[in-house]
Amino acid sequence: MKSFLVSVTFLLLVSCDGPRYPPDASKKETPTALKTESSAYSYKRGPSDLVDALYQEEANQSKDLTEIEALLEEAFASKSDSLETFDTYTSQNTAYYLSAHEHMNSMKDSLLRQRMSQLVEANRAAYLTRVAELHALNEGIDQKREQIDDLHQALKLTTTLAIISKFQKESLPDARPLKNYGKTLDKLIQKLNQQLDKKP
């Protein structure tokens, strides 16, 4: 039994201290986001957002992507400036009509309440006609922003697919360590079975 335990210990030590294979020096350096020590990926935590991390790294090195990112930031930041006045204007009018309905609902005289309702609704109809063009422009802007966001996501994917494909090809692990470890486990299984087959 003692010799069996020594054999098992030896096999496990061989497994841990198996041969190491140096990386291919001709391979290009792995992107920072794909390195095991990178904060973008952790074996325990999983990826935070590997697509964004890879794209940002590539964008920092590409003049075209840097320019696109600057234009995107400028375009999305300027929307609030461009439409702030309109948003405030519509919010104030919406708040007024909500308040007006509360006042009308508090009235006990049904005929007077109906008359006031007609006046308020006539005013609201005129207001909606007045701002129809602005609302259409705002909806068009929202649609364009959604389209830009979709295109931006597609750009991230096409850019990073090229990177991950290159990584998959150039950083494919050597199969020999796994094969050797598998053989070590086979030997251990054989030893265990032999020990179990022995008569007490």
Side-chain angles (χ1 to χ4, degrees):
M1 185 67 181
K2 181 177 180 181
S3 62
F4 167 71
L5 292 175
V6 171
S7 299
V8 171
T9 303
F10 173 75
L11 287 169
L12 291 176
L13 288 174
V14 169
S15 167
C16 294
D17 296 331
R20 300 291 187 266
Y21 301 95
D24 188 349
S26 64
K27 292 181 181 178
K28 187 178 179 181
E29 184 179 356
T30 302
T32 302
L34 289 173
K35 292 180 179 178
T36 54
E37 66 271 16
S38 171
S39 60
Y41 182 88
S42 167
Y43 178 77
K44 293 181 179 179
R45 298 193 310 272
S48 54
D49 192 327
L50 198 51
V51 169
D52 272 346
L54 286 171
Y55 176 78
Q56 188 59 53
E57 186 174 346
E58 185 69 16
N60 291 338
Q61 302 173 13
S62 168
K63 181 180 178 181
D64 290 339
L65 293 180
T66 298
E67 181 181 354
I68 288 174
E69 290 304 306
L71 290 172
L72 284 167
E73 184 176 355
E74 179 182 352
F76 279 76
S78 63
K79 190 214 173 184
S80 59
D81 297 333
S82 303
L83 299 178
E84 183 177 0
T85 301
F86 175 66
D87 289 341
T88 302
Y89 175 77
T90 54
S91 295
Q92 290 170 334
N93 279 278
T94 300
Y96 172 80
Y97 291 119
L98 288 173
S99 179
H101 278 284
E102 290 180 358
H103 280 270
M104 286 187 294
N105 289 335
S106 69
M107 298 174 68
K108 303 300 186 293
D109 189 326
S110 60
L111 292 178
L112 184 58
R113 182 171 64 246
Q114 183 179 2
R115 179 184 173 190
M116 291 301 102
S117 177
Q118 291 172 347
L119 289 175
V120 170
E121 287 305 314
N123 179 273
R124 183 172 180 273
Y127 158 73
L128 292 176
T129 300
R130 190 174 294 113
V131 297
E133 182 182 3
L134 293 174
H135 276 296
L137 289 172
N138 189 38
E139 290 177 1
I141 288 173
D142 287 339
Q143 291 173 358
K144 290 176 182 179
R145 282 166 57 90
E146 290 177 358
Q147 182 182 8
I148 289 173
D149 185 63
D150 286 348
L151 291 170
H152 189 211
Q153 299 307 321
L155 177 61
K156 287 183 179 181
L157 291 173
T158 55
T159 300
T160 56
L161 278 171
I163 297 172
I164 198 66
S165 295
K166 184 177 178 65
F167 169 77
Q168 291 164 351
K169 179 181 178 181
E170 296 183 350
S171 300
L172 182 67
D174 195 317
R176 288 175 292 177
L178 292 176
K179 289 179 180 179
N180 289 336
Y181 182 59
K183 291 177 181 179
T184 299
L185 295 180
D186 288 338
K187 292 178 181 179
L188 178 55
I189 291 170
Q190 184 180 10
K191 276 286 184 183
L192 290 168
N193 284 327
Q194 289 173 353
Q195 186 66 23
L196 289 172
D197 290 338
K198 290 182 179 180
K199 294 182 179 180

